[in-house]
Every structure is written in structure tokens, then in C-alpha cells.
Amino acid sequence: MKLKKADLLYRGKAKDIYKTEDPEIVIVKFRDDITAGDGEKKDNIDKKGYYNSIISAKFFELLEASGIKTQYIKLLEPGMMLSHRLEMIPLEIITRNMAAGSLLRKFPFQEKQELNPPIIQMDYKSDEFHDPMLNDDIAVALELTNRKELEIIRETTLKIDKVIKEFLKEKGIIFPDFKIEYGRNNKEEIVLGDEISPDSCRFWDMKTCEVLDKDLFRKGETGVIKAYSEIASRILDEEDKEKWNITE
Ligand code: TMP
Ligand code: ASP
């Protein structure tokens, strides 16, 4: 499928959003670009968009089946996802089941310390301000959202964490933390958008604790695409693996 430049609505650091004939429907194009440090570190990794779109589609389908409203309609082909158009809220909603990453740099947690109940943290999505952590009062004062929406976001996020954590446990994957983003549809309902992929989550092998996510790129290590394909291969069912040509 050919996408036209004229129909480009938004270009992010790793995805493009294209208009379709239906004003309420968009196509999300997952690119191979990969960045870290608010876009300072950049690369392009062949097939990254391919795997991230397939992995995100699987998680969105899983969540839809659990009654969670998502932007996802269907995968047109690897890399291209038909989605409902949302007005995105510039908040990164981060859920932590285990202490890792920036939590260890900012607070005296022990590495891999279990966090039960999970911690939900919000960052303001802004490269200019370096995604600062914020709280409900700041988000409301900035008019990004309101109390009612924040309540829905919190409740939905905890449910998403539970559904994915349980699903991944059966696949031998630990789910230390993840970042999601929400938007509003044309009925002003809160809907899960963006992606759920190794770019936006931490995934560790249950037996070896091997890192299977973007932390490899952030730390300058090799094997990024091997890790992403490993996640796809573990979470997809046989039918999807055959359809998208995912080999073990
Ligand atoms: P952090 O420990 O670096 O704050 O990351 C927490 C989670 O959020 C982790 O699963 C990776 C994800 N994440 C993003 O999706 N985008 C980002 O810009 C950052 C920094 C983290
Ligand atoms: N959001 C960060 C960046 O753009 C990437 C990350 O660390 O995940 O560069």
C-alpha cells in the first residue's frame, strides 16, 4: 500500500500518522527509526517497524478482548496499522512492577525490587522540557486533562498491566515496566493509543533475565532486532506467525 505525503497528519520520532478518506480513521506507519535521550541518539534498524507493529497489534487485540478500548482497528500489513483517530493527551503513563531504569537513578529503590501494588507515574511528553515527571495537579493546571479523565486513565492502566503481565508470564517473559499514551475519540471517550512494543516496554526473559527491549539500544548494545523478533515469536499464535512470516 502506497501512502501519500499530502495525507501526512503527524510525524513523530518513530511513527507517522496518515489521513484516510474517513476523517475518523487514520493509518499509523511504524518506521524503522529508533531514538533515545529525547531524540539525541538516533539510528535506523531494518524491520524494527515491522516487528513493533505486529507486537502492538497483538497486545491491542489482547486488550480489546479484555474490554479495553483501543485505537486499533487492524494491521493492513506489517508496519501499517489502521486505527481510530484520537486527539492525543501529551502524557506518558508509566507503570512499574519492578524497579528499573530512571526510577533507580532518581530514588533509592533496589534494582529489580518488586513494586506491589504497581507504581503509576506520569511524564509530560515534551522533548523540549525532557519529559519531566508531573503529578495530577500539574497535568490539570496545564489543561492537558481533568480529574475525571485521570481517574479513568489510572483504572484502565492498572487493568492493562494485569492483563499483559498475566499473558506474558505464560510466555516466560517478565514485565518490569511500560509506557502507554491515551487520547480522546470523537465522543470524548478516553481510548488507549500509540503502541505497546519493545520500544515502550521493558521485557526480560524469565529464566535468564536477558533484556528483550529498547534498553539494548539505549545502552549501545547489539542484538536489538533479534530481541524484538524473539518477543514477536513468543507472543504471536501460530496462525499470525505464519501470516507475518515470523520464524523461530
Ligand atoms: P524509564 O525507566 O527510563 O523511565 O522508562 C520507563 C518505561 O517507559 C520503560 O518501559 C521504557 C518506557 N519509555 C518510553 O516508552 N519512552 C521514553 O521516552 C522513556 C524514557 C521510557
Ligand atoms: N523518548 C525517547 C527519545 O525519544 C526514547 C526512549 O528512551 O525511549 O529519544
Side-chain angles (χ1 to χ4, degrees), residues 13 35-41 92 127 131 199-200 214 218:
K13 290 198 289 275
T35 70
D38 305 323
E40 296 237 319
K41 184 178 159 115
E92 302 198 336
D127 284 342
D131 297 352
D199 269 15
S200 60
K214 190 177 163 183
R218 293 189 187 100

Side-chain angles (χ1 to χ4, degrees), residues 54-70 72 159-171 175 192 196 235 240:
I54 292 172
I55 294 166
S56 291
K58 175 69 199 177
F59 284 127
F60 284 143
E61 285 167 10
L62 175 75
L63 294 173
E64 286 279 347
S66 307
I68 290 156
K69 237 181 165 29
T70 80
Y72 174 77
K159 195 167 169 193
I160 291 170
D161 178 47
K162 200 158 178 277
V163 171
I164 297 183
K165 200 163 46 184
E166 275 166 21
F167 170 79
L168 288 177
K169 200 171 164 188
E170 284 171 25
K171 314 285 177 192
F175 195 37
L192 178 69
I196 303 183
I235 70 168
D240 280 341

Side-chain angles (χ1 to χ4, degrees), residues 98 112 165-175 203-212 234:
M98 231 182 231
K112 299 196 172 84
K165 200 163 46 184
E166 275 166 21
F167 170 79
L168 288 177
K169 200 171 164 188
E170 284 171 25
K171 314 285 177 192
I173 300 167
I174 308 175
F175 195 37
F203 297 125
W204 298 342
D205 179 81
M206 202 168 273
K207 284 206 190 100
T208 63
C209 270
E210 185 190 353
V211 172
L212 298 169
R234 286 212 211 171

Side-chain angles (χ1 to χ4, degrees), residues 47-228:
K47 288 199 109 175
K48 198 221 41 159
Y50 183 99
Y51 286 117
N52 273 2
S53 67
I54 292 172
I55 294 166
S56 291
K58 175 69 199 177
F59 284 127
F60 284 143
E61 285 167 10
L62 175 75
L63 294 173
E64 286 279 347
S66 307
I68 290 156
K69 237 181 165 29
T70 80
Q71 179 178 34
Y72 174 77
I73 300 173
K74 69 172 182 176
L75 206 55
L76 296 170
E77 62 185 69
M80 281 210 256
M81 189 183 283
L82 198 66
S83 304
H84 297 288
R85 186 174 180 169
L86 300 180
E87 177 204 356
M88 293 306 289
I89 302 171
L91 288 175
E92 302 198 336
I93 313 296
I94 297 164
T95 308
R96 301 182 186 271
N97 295 302
M98 231 182 231
S102 68
L103 198 71
L104 298 175
R105 293 196 294 274
K106 288 177 181 157
F107 304 100
F109 287 102
Q110 295 290 319
E111 195 174 0
K112 299 196 172 84
Q113 180 180 332
E114 211 178 305
L115 305 167
N116 191 10
I119 292 175
I120 296 187
Q121 167 202 330
M122 290 193 302
D123 288 357
Y124 176 43
K125 190 178 163 81
S126 160
D127 284 342
E128 186 191 350
F129 289 92
H130 304 290
D131 297 352
M133 196 189 292
L134 78 178
N135 63 13
D136 289 18
D137 284 0
I138 297 176
V140 172
L142 283 172
E143 298 181 356
L144 306 177
T145 182
N146 58 45
R147 307 270 168 198
K148 178 84 194 117
E149 284 185 346
L150 284 168
E151 207 177 295
I152 297 169
I153 286 173
R154 189 176 170 82
E155 211 173 284
T156 311
T157 301
L158 286 172
K159 195 167 169 193
I160 291 170
D161 178 47
K162 200 158 178 277
V163 171
I164 297 183
K165 200 163 46 184
E166 275 166 21
F167 170 79
L168 288 177
K169 200 171 164 188
E170 284 171 25
K171 314 285 177 192
I173 300 167
I174 308 175
F175 195 37
D177 53 40
F178 64 104
K179 183 269 302 178
I180 46 179
E181 295 176 30
Y182 291 90
R184 301 175 195 96
N185 65 11
N186 58 346
K187 292 182 219 140
E188 293 290 309
E189 293 165 323
I190 291 290
V191 178
L192 178 69
D194 196 48
E195 69 185 287
I196 303 183
S197 76
D199 269 15
S200 60
C201 304
R202 286 197 167 91
F203 297 125
W204 298 342
D205 179 81
M206 202 168 273
K207 284 206 190 100
T208 63
C209 270
E210 185 190 353
V211 172
L212 298 169
D213 59 65
K214 190 177 163 183
D215 265 353
L216 293 169
F217 174 74
R218 293 189 187 100
K219 293 176 181 164
E221 290 171 22
T222 55
V224 176
I225 212 64
K226 192 168 164 279
Y228 284 40

